[in-house]
Amino acid sequence: MYLLGIDIGTSSVKVSVIDAETRKRVAAAQYPDQEMEIKSVKPGWAEQSPEEWWQNAVHAIFKVNATGIFNPKAIGAIGIAYQMHGLVITDKNQKVLRDSIIWCDSRAVELGNDAFAAIGQEKCLHNLLNSPGNFTASKLAWIKQNEPELYKKIAQVMLPGDFMAMKLTGTVTTSIAALSEGVFWDFRKDELSKEVMEYYGFDQNLIPEIRPLFSVHGLLKADIALQLGLQEGIPVAYKSGDQPNNALSLNVIRPGEVAATAGTSGVIYGVSDQLTYDPQSRVNTFAHVTYSKTKKHTGVLLCVNGTGSMLRWAKHNFAPHLTYEAVNELAATAPIGSRGLTVLPFGNGAERMLNNKYTGAQLLGIDLNLHGLPEIFRAVQEAIAFAFRYGLDIMRENGMQPQVIRAGMANLFLSEVFAQTFVDVTGIPVELYESDGSTGAAFGAGIGAGIFANAEEAFIRHEPVRQLKPKNTTAYNSLYAEWKDQLNKALNKKN
């Protein structure tokens, strides 16, 4: 039997097929080859079309089926990973009413701040483990306030993974984990937050049926099965936000274990058995994939918006003709410190770890006679590693003390410069695995469908392909201090 995983990313949709018996990935594909557009009508806004996600998923499944390596009819379950915090709204006929307001959109920050003050900071942090900020509930409030006629047509409020499952099955469900990442969930009462729903004036009927994350969220419709070449009636048995799912794909399921990813955004994600929160909401706590009312495993999430998005901007504007591999090779020719060139990579919306401030991306100290592409590309990757260190220090303040970090051999971790710099700057060894979001979703489907008894059984053959240890920590400690000084100057200008 095979398992299909679908990962709805910001840049593309990726799919993987794994053999349930060997636990090996047998085929993978993504669509489109070029990065998907993020629509930004105003500064700080970010939207994508849910129907485009769906069409890209269809094309990706066509591509993986066309490999001929496996029999699509032998796929027994489907799992979905998706970009977190996005808002999808549909009418009573399951028609999408507008483009999704996605994770990096910051238009609802002030609405969230007002809710934080009105509900009470202590109440929000103690019960929601977060400020409402610019999360999904606040985005829905923005629709209610600014697009009231559209709001009246809403039948269901979904996150991106809920939408994808709806397209496959016609059934609309959600989970505690999804509601927690939208900041709809009261962790102390283990129920939908009355305070959030009442403050924003939301009807509870807008929230889909809540089911366990690892469970059947619907069965593949006959017409969709025919279109995709799959077997009718197979279950969508797992839906998870991309960061908890990334942790699952790396077998990060026990308290104290930590995962990292560096795609369009960058994330450090640690599992805790405490209902912990940051008093300033610079890092956020959500329900982990293994969360239940008896085993309250949470995921403490540090997000940096400007990671892969910063490198993408630099590549597209300074060397659009180069591949990312060539960009990484150029970066490796520049020395540690990039000859004094400094980058602040925060140009992809307000950063929660910076108290929702927006500095914009900056290149500082450019010497026209000294700096070229190698220094630019290295400085960008070093700055991203510095941003991770900044956030990791906040996580340490909140009790997270990782001894090792696990990451997939993907995105920025494919760059030798970035991977080693990350280890040197944080001072923490990294284990790299052949894993990504779509394989995690496939394993999740196996767990949710009962093909695997639990996560431990699913990842019984899980071993790292590479381990990195710190080499240049002393040199990077001083460089990080200089970078942090530049960041503080930029933040002070915004006050």
Side-chain angles (χ1 to χ4, degrees):
M1 179 186 295
Y2 298 105
L3 302 167
L4 173 65
I6 304 171
D7 182 13
I8 311 301
T10 310
S11 299
S12 66
V13 175
K14 299 176 183 177
V15 299
S16 288
V17 176
I18 65 169
D19 185 316
E21 183 176 350
T22 66
R23 275 61 161 189
K24 298 294 185 182
R25 182 165 68 178
V26 296
Q30 72 175 55
Y31 193 90
D33 295 327
Q34 300 299 316
E35 290 143 342
M36 286 192 288
E37 178 190 6
I38 296 177
K39 303 172 187 176
S40 185
V41 178
K42 295 182 180 181
W45 289 24
E47 299 183 1
Q48 288 185 324
S49 165
E51 290 295 345
E52 184 178 358
W53 297 337
W54 168 246
Q55 291 302 322
N56 289 342
V58 169
H59 286 295
I61 293 170
F62 286 163
K63 284 179 68 175
V64 80
N65 287 352
T67 63
I69 297 171
F70 65 97
N71 178 6
K73 296 286 188 182
I75 290 173
I78 300 171
I80 299 168
Y82 58 89
Q83 47 176 287
M84 297 173 71
H85 316 305
L87 172 68
V88 181
I89 53 175
T90 59
D91 66 14
K92 61 183 180 180
N93 297 314
Q94 298 188 348
K95 179 183 177 182
V96 174
L97 291 170
R98 71 179 319 280
D99 283 345
S100 172
I101 302 175
I102 66 171
W103 59 276
C104 55
D105 187 287
S106 54
R107 77 185 71 180
V109 168
E110 291 307 316
L111 284 171
N113 289 343
D114 290 345
F116 196 36
I119 296 170
Q121 295 187 16
E122 184 177 349
K123 182 77 171 180
C124 284
L125 294 176
H126 186 260
N127 289 58
L128 307 175
L129 308 184
N130 298 287
S131 160
N134 62 326
F135 294 112
T136 315
S138 300
K139 290 168 181 170
L140 180 61
W142 187 93
I143 298 291
K144 186 171 184 281
Q145 182 179 95
N146 294 275
E147 299 175 353
E149 294 306 312
L150 195 67
Y151 181 84
K152 292 176 184 176
K153 298 178 182 179
I154 300 174
Q156 299 276 239
V157 170
M158 287 174 262
L159 280 85
D162 301 329
F163 164 78
M164 186 59 56
M166 180 198 77
K167 294 293 288 187
L168 290 165
T169 69
T171 302
V172 185
T173 70
T174 191
S175 66
I176 290 174
L179 292 171
S180 78
E181 71 180 72
V183 190
F184 288 103
W185 192 253
D186 187 319
F187 281 90
R188 305 294 173 175
K189 298 178 181 178
D190 262 325
E191 63 182 26
L192 203 61
S193 170
K194 290 183 174 66
E195 287 79 8
V196 169
M197 298 298 286
E198 289 176 1
Y199 173 79
Y200 282 138
F202 297 153
D203 189 325
Q204 290 199 17
N205 290 328
L206 296 178
I207 304 299
E209 177 190 349
I210 302 170
R211 294 188 185 178
L213 187 144
F214 293 107
S215 69
V216 175
H217 291 273
L219 303 177
L220 190 63
K221 294 191 297 182
D223 59 330
I224 300 299
L226 182 63
Q227 179 184 4
L228 300 178
L230 306 179
Q231 187 67 42
E232 177 187 351
I234 60 174
V236 171
Y238 170 84
K239 294 185 296 181
S240 172
D242 52 8
Q243 299 311 323
N245 174 74
N246 179 64
L248 176 72
S249 74
L250 296 166
N251 197 23
V252 171
I253 55 175
R254 301 164 194 84
E257 295 179 334
V258 177
T261 184
T264 302
S265 65
V267 169
I268 298 177
Y269 183 97
V271 180
S272 173
D273 56 4
Q274 305 294 315
L275 297 182
T276 184
Y277 56 84
D278 177 52
Q280 299 180 49
S281 284
R282 297 166 297 174
V283 298
N284 302 104
T285 304
F286 307 110
H288 190 38
V289 294
T290 53
Y291 180 94
S292 69
K293 294 186 178 183
T294 57
K295 187 169 65 174
K296 297 193 175 184
H297 285 182
T298 57
V300 181
L301 187 153
L302 175 280
C303 181
V304 185
N305 291 349
T307 53
S309 52
M310 181 72 213
L311 184 61
R312 177 182 63 190
W313 178 89
K315 173 189 175 302
H316 285 183
N317 285 280
F318 292 114
H321 58 290
L322 294 181
T323 63
Y324 280 108
E325 183 178 8
V327 164
N328 295 336
E329 289 172 356
L330 269 179
T333 65
I336 287 175
S338 306
R339 303 185 197 276
L341 183 62
T342 300
V343 172
L344 299 181
F346 306 115
N348 194 30
E351 296 281 355
R352 288 196 293 277
M353 75 172 187
L354 303 180
N355 297 110
N356 280 322
K357 293 179 181 177
Y358 181 66
T359 65
Q362 301 180 31
L363 279 71
L364 305 168
I366 298 172
D367 186 322
L368 302 180
N369 299 310
L370 186 62
H371 297 139
L373 291 180
E375 288 76 21
I376 291 172
F377 292 138
R378 184 174 191 111
V380 166
Q381 296 190 36
E382 288 180 331
I384 294 166
F386 292 152
F388 271 107
R389 162 68 186 277
Y390 187 95
L392 183 61
D393 286 348
I394 296 172
M395 295 184 77
R396 286 167 169 151
E397 289 175 23
N398 285 273
M400 190 67 63
Q401 299 293 335
Q403 302 304 305
V404 65
I405 294 175
R406 297 176 189 168
M409 287 279 290
N411 301 315
L412 274 163
F413 279 104
L414 292 171
S415 166
E416 182 67 29
V417 167
F418 173 78
Q420 188 60 52
T421 302
F422 178 95
V423 173
D424 291 338
V425 170
T426 62
I428 301 173
V430 167
E431 295 177 348
L432 294 173
Y433 292 80
E434 288 287 359
S435 178
D436 65 14
S438 58
T439 58
F443 278 109
I447 299 167
I451 296 164
F452 306 129
N454 48 42
E456 288 81 0
E457 181 181 309
F459 294 100
I460 197 169
R461 298 186 179 96
H462 194 66
E463 296 291 338
V465 295
R466 192 177 177 204
Q467 296 176 306
L468 298 172
K469 296 181 179 180
K471 293 180 181 178
N472 305 297
T473 301
T474 301
Y476 271 117
N477 278 341
S478 60
L479 289 168
Y480 172 69
E482 294 170 7
W483 177 88
K484 188 176 177 181
D485 182 59
Q486 292 287 359
L487 173 60
N488 286 333
K489 289 177 181 178
L491 291 172
N492 290 334
K493 286 181 182 178
K494 294 294 179 181
N495 288 341

